[in-house]
Amino acid sequence: MENLISVKQNMNGSKVNQKYNFAGHIKKNNIDIHPLSIETLQVNITKLCNQACLHCHVDSSPLRTEHMSKETIDQCLKVLSDNDEIKNLDITGGAPELHKDFKYLVVEAGKLDKHVMVRHNLTVTIDPHPNTGESNLGLPDFFAENQVELVSSMPYYQEYFTDKQRGRGVFNKSIESLKMLNNKGYGKGNPNLILDLVYNPVGSFLPATQCELKSKFKKELYENFNISFDNLFVITNMPIHRFKDDLIRRNAYEEYMNKLVETFNPLAVQGIMCRSMISVSYDGKIYDCDFNQMLELPIDKDEEKTIYNFDYNELLNREITVGSHCFGCTAGAGSSCGGETV
């Protein structure tokens, strides 16, 4: 029986380069990527960040002003309350901790018995708020009190490569922040105080295997800094926004895209994040994933979908919008917000 291909290839008003036509690629391989569930509501509450990383697909920086309104935050909480099937709230940014209602969102979601994850860049604890100068040193206590799972960017276990990707001084501040979290019990096997690190390659190549890198990170961080963590998520750099701009400047975009297409893995498709989550932008619009959100690729081109007209069953039966960037999630061992998909 022929599988149904529940996807839409974004055309962006122009002819699709057939070499990078993801929808055509999976159709040719008879692969089905219907949504399986909506287990996670991922919410981007601000584009403000204390950093401006080279690989950032959100284009976050200290100069960004976009942020989610309190009304939209409350609507996200209502959706979580109304839908028991959604087990996880994944809060991201920018640096989400810089939003004035960040703590409110975490606490209220916890009251709904949702598992709360925060995309935490580590240095936001050390740096003062870029607008107000307010100290964030109390964040480790807040995280521990609310049993938040932390998903923290750590490009490498050495200073040179980390600072090359994320800015001068970031590595040392990240180490300081990790030590603070370890002191609160994070990263030591407690299922209520989970500390995950996220690795992105520093360059235009695919990462090594998650298992291999986790062992190396564990060894180096413990032996050199007495730091421990629970999981390492390996994520492929997505060819959009800042990273794409850098590839184009170096005349390496086509080479990188060819690499992604050539290493396309049908098994990696099964675990891509758009099959089990919905992404919410700061203005309440909903998307298949965080990457589609940043590219403003709507779930439905005919009717705007927002957190205010959220319909679980309708979204579960939607078509997933795809584009050439989706090759980044399906190359090699795959890539998602939780690391490898294979």
Side-chain angles (χ1 to χ4, degrees):
M1 181 181 295
E2 181 180 356
N3 284 335
L4 295 175
I5 307 301
S6 181
V7 297
K8 296 175 290 184
Q9 172 74 33
N10 171 60
M11 299 297 289
N12 260 352
S14 61
K15 185 177 180 180
V16 175
N17 183 333
Q18 291 305 308
K19 187 191 299 184
Y20 309 142
N21 182 348
F22 187 79
H25 200 79
I26 61 172
K27 184 175 183 179
K28 181 178 68 176
N29 286 275
N30 200 31
I31 297 172
D32 173 13
I33 60 168
H34 278 88
L36 298 173
S37 64
I38 305 176
E39 297 178 0
T40 300
L41 191 72
Q42 186 178 72
V43 181
N44 188 308
I45 61 174
T46 182
K47 293 192 177 183
L48 177 66
C49 190
N50 60 307
Q51 298 178 186
C53 301
L54 177 65
H55 69 293
C56 181
H57 66 279
V58 185
D59 282 345
S60 297
S61 80
L63 301 178
R64 300 301 291 263
T65 60
E66 301 94 327
H67 65 279
M68 185 173 284
S69 68
K70 175 67 158 43
E71 179 185 21
T72 302
I73 285 177
D74 283 334
Q75 184 63 24
C76 290
L77 289 167
K78 183 178 186 304
V79 166
L80 290 171
S81 177
D82 292 346
N83 294 274
D84 292 337
E85 301 91 341
I86 305 177
K87 307 297 183 184
N88 308 305
L89 173 64
D90 187 344
I91 309 175
T92 185
E97 302 91 341
L98 298 179
H99 193 293
K100 63 184 180 64
D101 294 314
F102 165 73
K103 291 183 178 180
Y104 166 78
L105 175 57
V106 170
V107 171
E108 294 303 311
K111 292 177 182 178
L112 297 174
D113 199 29
K114 303 298 181 180
H115 178 66
V116 179
M117 298 176 284
V118 173
R119 303 281 158 172
H120 174 58
N121 72 11
L122 295 172
T123 63
V124 70
T125 298
I126 310 302
D127 290 338
H129 193 291
N131 294 336
T132 67
E134 182 180 355
S135 171
N136 298 310
L137 291 174
L139 281 172
D141 286 312
F142 174 77
F143 291 143
E145 288 167 7
N146 291 277
Q147 299 184 347
V148 173
E149 179 177 354
L150 297 176
V151 185
S152 302
S153 181
M154 191 69 179
Y156 211 57
Y157 47 78
Q158 293 175 347
E159 181 177 2
Y160 172 78
F161 293 106
T162 297
D163 286 5
K164 182 179 180 181
Q165 186 182 91
R166 299 181 65 204
R168 184 177 299 174
V170 166
F171 180 78
N172 288 329
K173 285 187 282 188
S174 297
I175 292 297
E176 182 181 353
S177 182
L178 285 169
K179 288 181 177 179
M180 294 171 68
L181 291 170
N182 276 178
N183 287 339
K184 298 301 176 184
Y186 272 96
K188 299 187 175 181
N190 184 337
N192 296 317
L193 298 174
I194 299 175
L195 175 59
D196 309 314
L197 298 185
V198 177
Y199 166 84
N200 292 80
V202 185
S204 52
F205 52 86
L206 296 182
T209 66
Q210 194 160 281
C211 182
E212 175 187 351
L213 281 169
K214 179 181 177 180
S215 297
K216 192 68 173 175
F217 267 71
K218 286 253 184 192
K219 178 178 182 294
E220 295 290 336
L221 288 177
Y222 187 78
E223 290 183 356
N224 294 317
F225 306 102
N226 197 32
I227 286 172
S228 58
F229 63 93
D230 295 298
N231 306 298
L232 181 74
F233 297 155
V234 170
I235 298 179
T236 301
N237 287 324
M238 296 299 290
I240 63 175
H241 289 323
R242 276 191 201 139
F243 184 64
K244 180 179 179 180
D245 291 341
D246 181 63
L247 290 171
I248 292 173
R249 279 194 299 269
R250 295 189 287 109
N251 198 30
Y253 175 71
E254 187 169 353
E255 178 185 358
Y256 187 68
M257 284 301 304
N258 289 340
K259 188 180 303 180
L260 297 181
V261 174
E262 289 165 3
T263 56
F264 172 81
N265 184 350
L267 294 177
V269 178
Q270 303 309 313
I272 51 179
M273 57 191 174
C274 55
R275 304 191 74 189
S276 60
M277 66 167 284
I278 287 291
S279 175
V280 187
S281 64
Y282 75 92
D283 56 3
K285 296 176 184 177
I286 56 179
Y287 299 85
D288 294 295
C289 70
D290 190 45
F291 303 120
N292 279 11
Q293 179 189 145
M294 298 312 144
L295 291 171
E296 298 183 354
L297 304 181
I299 279 184
D300 189 332
K301 63 180 177 61
D302 298 319
E303 178 187 358
E304 184 173 80
K305 302 296 185 184
T306 74
I307 197 69
Y308 290 94
N309 59 18
F310 188 97
D311 185 314
Y312 184 93
N313 289 324
E314 182 182 77
L315 290 170
L316 192 60
N317 290 286
R318 74 190 189 278
E319 293 184 349
I320 294 174
T321 302
V322 301
S324 60
H325 60 289
C326 298
F327 282 108
C329 290
T330 56
S335 179
S336 75
C337 285
E340 291 181 354
T341 62
V342 178

